[in-house]
Structures are given as structure tokens and as C-alpha cells.
Amino acid sequence: MHDPDDKSSTLTLHLPDEVATDAFGHQLAPLLHPGMVVWLDGDLGAGKTTLVRALLRARHHAGPVKSPTYTLVEIYVISRIYWYHFDFYR
């Protein structure tokens, strides 16, 4: 269970634009493995879906990657790994 007050596993980054976000996503993607949870927190329009898109593209997902604003969750299956992209903004 994630403790939001536990900052030992928290990384805060300022990615100035979509290019930087995409580059970071491609660097981060190979480090992710089944069972990991990545929690993205930021204002509306901060680039959370842009980062998810970069992560999925780095894992060779060619289909659309959209914000789950209306569906609440988008599921992607890549190499037998299930990626769940939730929107808890509401």
C-alpha cells in the first residue's frame, strides 16, 4: 500500500515541454517491470498523459493513447504486461 506521506519513493520533476517529457518516458520505460505502480500527480494539462504515451510508445505500442478522463481507465496489453492508465482527477 502506498503511503502518500512516505517521500522515500517520490520523484518530483519539472519537464519543461513535450519533447523533454517524451525523452524522459523513453528513458523510464525500460526500468518498469510487472507489479510496479507509477503514480503521476499534477494539474490538468501538466503532461501526465503525454508521459504515459511516451512510456507506451517506448514499449512499442502503436495504437492510440488517450486520457482516460471519461472512461476512468484505459487498459493496454504489451508483451503480456497489462498497463492500467487511470484518471483519478475527479
Side-chain angles (χ1 to χ4, degrees), residues 41-86:
D41 185 24
D43 292 335
L44 190 64
K48 298 176 298 291
T49 295
T50 299
L51 180 57
V52 170
R53 186 175 295 116
L55 292 168
L56 291 168
R57 294 280 183 257
R59 293 291 185 130
H60 310 292
H61 174 73
V65 178
K66 56 188 178 179
S67 176
T69 301
Y70 299 105
T71 59
L72 298 181
V73 65
E74 294 289 337
I75 302 170
Y76 305 91
V77 181
I78 303 169
S79 299
R80 299 184 335 244
I81 298 174
Y82 285 74
W83 296 64
Y84 297 92
H85 180 196
F86 290 94

Side-chain angles (χ1 to χ4, degrees), residues 27-40:
Q27 292 173 340
L28 180 61
L31 304 175
L32 303 179
H33 56 80
M36 289 183 80
V37 174
V38 176
W39 182 281
L40 303 175

